[in-house]
Amino acid sequence: MSEEDPKEVVNNKPSEDLPPLIKIRNAKKWFPIKAGMFSPVTAHVRAVDGVDLDIQKGETVGVVGESGCGKTTLGRLVMGLIPRTEGSIEFDGMDISSMKRKELRRRLQIVFQDPGGSMNPRMSVRSIIAEPLIVNGLADGAELTKKVSELLTIVGLKPNHMTRFPHEFSGGQKQRIALARALSLDPEFILLDEPTSALDVSVQAQVLNLLDSIQKERGLTFIFITHSLNVVNHISDRVAVMYLGKIVEIAETDELFANPAHPYTHALLSAIPQPSVEENQKQRIVLSGDVPSPANPPSGCSFHTRCPVAVEGKCDVDEPELEAIIGGHKVACHFPVEAGGSLPMLND
Ligand code: SF4
């Protein structure tokens, strides 16, 4: 990795002139379906089905979509936790699959939704946070204790918390411990997989603010996976909307919220709770039908079976490409909603 220029990351604004830290091209992850262990493969679940995405150093990209849209699988591909079926994923110019496991874990870290589930309840907080440092031979003895103490302070806990055990902490505090552990190896990238979904709203805001300040201080790069558009609005520089294994819209956060172009994004935005019951009822776009099976995605545009403005003979036949409509705002739709436009209210 080249020497870091502190000017590269200023006020959380990544530089687009530099090569991306993460470069994803046509990434696919298809899981085979078999009737039994020795039976032939009968079909594939296309969890991730051709994703292209560049992420700049210092950037936070929020990935949103309903359950089963492929966002978590995409995160695991980026982390090198599962092999891809097709395509390429590079980190700092290197193929993820060619990086040694130790280097991968040092430079790329993950924070899960359920921090308690990823901690051994019999280990003290000191042991939990110190483990990666010990495994990598980076500190021991008094130096290790000092490092754990510093990490606890960074995440807003007290050094004397290191003698306690996970069950003695609230959900928000456990997530802070998980973040301290993720930061222990001084990584460049952290995958945040629904890190605030299990927390109360007030605690969510605290954890989001903490992540934001730590990112600014350290020039970290985040992928933030969530089903909550409220959360990505708070923390992301850009938002990628996924549907059935593909990115259907991507834009800078302000642009996506101001001018959503894909009908699916409109539906997701309309589901954000509003202050009054009347506003909620007035604005909500209710999509018809269920999310199709990723083992048997619809022809043409995979959203056409639920899209309120689908055009027969076009949307069910031709698959739209993810194309730029303005600047970095891209959408995969034959008939994107114009800036400031709206969709018909199906529940009128
Ligand atoms: Fe709807 Fe057609 Fe656009 Fe797909 S391509 S989102 S079906 S309008």
Side-chain angles (χ1 to χ4, degrees):
M1 161 121 193
S2 57
E3 275 295 302
E4 183 185 322
D5 177 354
K7 289 186 195 134
E8 285 175 17
V9 181
V10 179
N11 293 333
N12 226 16
K13 288 286 174 209
S15 169
E16 288 172 10
D17 300 333
L18 298 165
L21 183 67
I22 294 173
K23 185 173 168 183
I24 304 171
R25 290 290 177 273
N26 193 32
K28 293 185 182 176
K29 182 62 188 177
W30 292 12
F31 294 101
I33 302 173
K34 296 177 178 181
M37 189 178 281
F38 301 107
S39 309
V41 174
T42 53
H44 288 91
V45 172
R46 302 177 186 193
V48 173
D49 197 18
V51 166
D52 292 319
L53 181 62
D54 284 348
I55 302 175
Q56 298 300 131
K57 180 174 168 54
E59 188 177 27
T60 297
V61 174
V63 181
V64 294
E66 294 163 291
S67 297
C69 71
K71 54 191 189 299
T72 292
T73 305
L74 177 65
R76 276 153 176 66
L77 286 175
V78 171
M79 292 296 298
L81 294 173
I82 49 173
R84 56 187 178 262
T85 307
E86 217 177 294
S88 67
I89 301 179
E90 290 179 9
F91 180 83
D92 197 20
M94 280 175 289
D95 188 327
I96 280 281
S97 53
S98 71
M99 289 172 73
K100 293 211 164 56
R101 193 177 139 76
K102 217 169 179 179
E103 185 183 7
L104 262 177
R105 291 295 75 84
R106 190 179 60 74
R107 301 182 71 181
L108 295 88
Q109 280 288 321
I110 185 166
V111 173
F112 295 101
Q113 176 179 357
D114 175 17
S118 62
M119 290 172 196
N120 184 337
R122 295 202 190 100
M123 284 169 77
S124 68
V125 168
R126 182 186 184 280
S127 302
I128 288 167
I129 297 174
E131 195 175 31
L133 293 162
I134 296 168
V135 169
N136 285 275
L138 295 177
D140 59 11
E143 194 193 345
L144 188 64
T145 304
K146 184 169 170 255
K147 181 85 182 158
V148 172
S149 172
E150 282 169 6
L151 287 162
L152 283 168
T153 307
I154 288 169
V155 298
L157 294 173
K158 295 194 177 108
N160 64 12
H161 282 141
M162 73 171 79
T163 56
R164 300 194 193 169
F165 290 82
H167 72 270
E168 298 178 64
F169 294 90
S170 67
Q173 287 174 320
K174 279 187 202 153
Q175 201 54 288
R176 287 172 190 265
I177 295 166
L179 184 58
R181 180 174 57 186
L183 292 172
S184 64
L185 297 180
D186 204 11
E188 293 148 70
F189 167 80
I190 301 182
L191 172 69
L192 301 157
D193 190 357
E194 303 262 12
T196 56
S197 303
L199 306 177
D200 291 343
V201 175
S202 60
V203 181
Q204 274 186 19
Q206 290 169 14
V207 172
L208 289 175
N209 289 336
L210 174 66
L211 288 168
D212 202 29
S213 67
I214 286 175
Q215 187 198 31
K216 280 176 181 155
E217 278 164 26
R218 297 180 163 233
L220 282 164
T221 306
F222 288 161
I223 288 182
F224 198 111
I225 292 170
T226 179
H227 61 271
S228 166
L229 277 158
N230 265 337
V231 168
V232 288
N233 190 19
H234 188 96
I235 197 162
S236 305
D237 297 304
R238 280 190 299 151
V239 180
V241 180
M242 285 190 74
Y243 187 79
L244 276 188
K246 297 175 194 288
I247 292 177
V248 295
E249 184 161 14
I250 183 165
E252 290 197 0
T253 307
D254 291 348
E255 164 68 8
L256 188 106
F257 276 74
N259 299 312
H262 197 284
Y264 180 58
T265 311
H266 271 263
L268 289 181
L269 287 172
S270 80
I272 293 177
Q274 300 297 320
S276 71
V277 175
E278 291 76 25
E279 270 184 273
N280 273 323
Q281 285 172 344
K282 198 168 61 184
Q283 296 192 359
R284 185 85 192 252
I285 299 166
V286 180
L287 296 173
S288 59
D290 295 324
V291 181
S293 166
N296 186 23
S299 60
C301 171
S302 57
F303 188 57
H304 86 260
T305 53
R306 303 171 78 200
C307 180
V309 290
V311 174
E312 212 180 316
K314 178 67 177 171
C315 297
D316 52 345
V317 177
D318 293 339
E319 184 179 349
E321 298 283 327
L322 186 66
E323 289 175 343
I325 48 173
I326 178 166
H329 188 165
K330 296 180 183 174
V331 64
C333 176
H334 296 305
F335 308 101
V337 181
E338 285 180 16
S342 58
L343 283 182
M345 297 292 163
L346 298 186
N347 50 336
D348 274 355

